[in-house]
Amino acid sequence: MTEEPAAGVLVDSNVLLDLFTDDRVWAAWSEARLAEAFDAGHVVINPIIYAEISVAFEGVETLEAALPEQLGREALPWEAAFLAGKCFVDYRRRKGTRRSPLPDFYIGAHAAVTGRALLTRDANRYRTLLPALALISP
């Protein structure tokens, strides 16, 4: 079963962490790009991104209060999990040393299979493994 392409943007955890930690180098860039994404349409995160940003918070209530109200949540599509596995195989062929798929593989694959752009500061791995993925990055 293939999902219909979805409009909008999937936001990578590094962008949200820039805002939550008021990163002196990246907060302004991340805030501006996130605002543009909200102005343009639907913006979402998935459970993997939620887990990655949770490290900056003591409790789930604090995290929930910090998340922008208009930020949508979406489950990881099964097709994205399959694509993440294929990205992992390619990564290992390129001499990657990790023994299991990286969260970035799932995040990039989620954006790719739903037809969303990915808002991220860490575009290199995505460009290599998912070259057709639309990226919003520095």
Side-chain angles (χ1 to χ4, degrees):
M1 170 168 76
T2 303
E3 295 205 6
E4 291 296 313
V9 173
L10 183 69
V11 181
D12 202 353
S13 55
N14 54 41
V15 171
L16 294 168
L17 286 170
D18 288 344
L19 302 178
F20 298 149
T21 64
D22 196 22
D23 185 277
R24 64 179 185 81
V25 175
W26 289 106
W29 183 89
S30 292
E31 182 176 20
R33 299 299 80 74
L34 187 58
E36 291 167 2
F38 281 130
D39 288 345
H42 193 59
V43 180
V44 299
I45 60 172
N46 65 31
I48 294 168
I49 295 162
Y50 191 92
E52 289 184 332
I53 62 177
S54 73
V55 300
F57 297 88
E58 288 297 317
V60 68
E61 298 83 7
T62 311
L63 170 56
E64 289 294 327
L67 289 171
E69 186 175 304
Q70 66 269 44
L71 184 65
R73 291 139 192 250
E74 191 170 276
L76 184 74
W78 288 104
E79 292 84 357
F82 182 85
L83 181 56
K86 295 303 177 191
C87 288
F88 177 68
V89 169
D90 190 37
Y91 163 82
R92 292 288 292 168
R93 284 187 185 133
R94 294 171 190 250
K95 308 293 185 210
T97 59
R98 301 287 177 109
R99 295 283 176 203
S100 62
L102 300 170
D104 290 348
F105 299 163
Y106 293 104
I107 293 167
H110 183 173
V113 303
T114 58
R116 288 194 175 90
L118 177 62
L119 173 56
T120 183
R121 282 194 293 100
D122 185 22
N124 290 338
R125 183 175 289 134
Y126 298 116
R127 283 190 183 112
T128 301
L129 295 172
L130 296 162
L133 179 61
L135 295 172
I136 303 167
S137 62

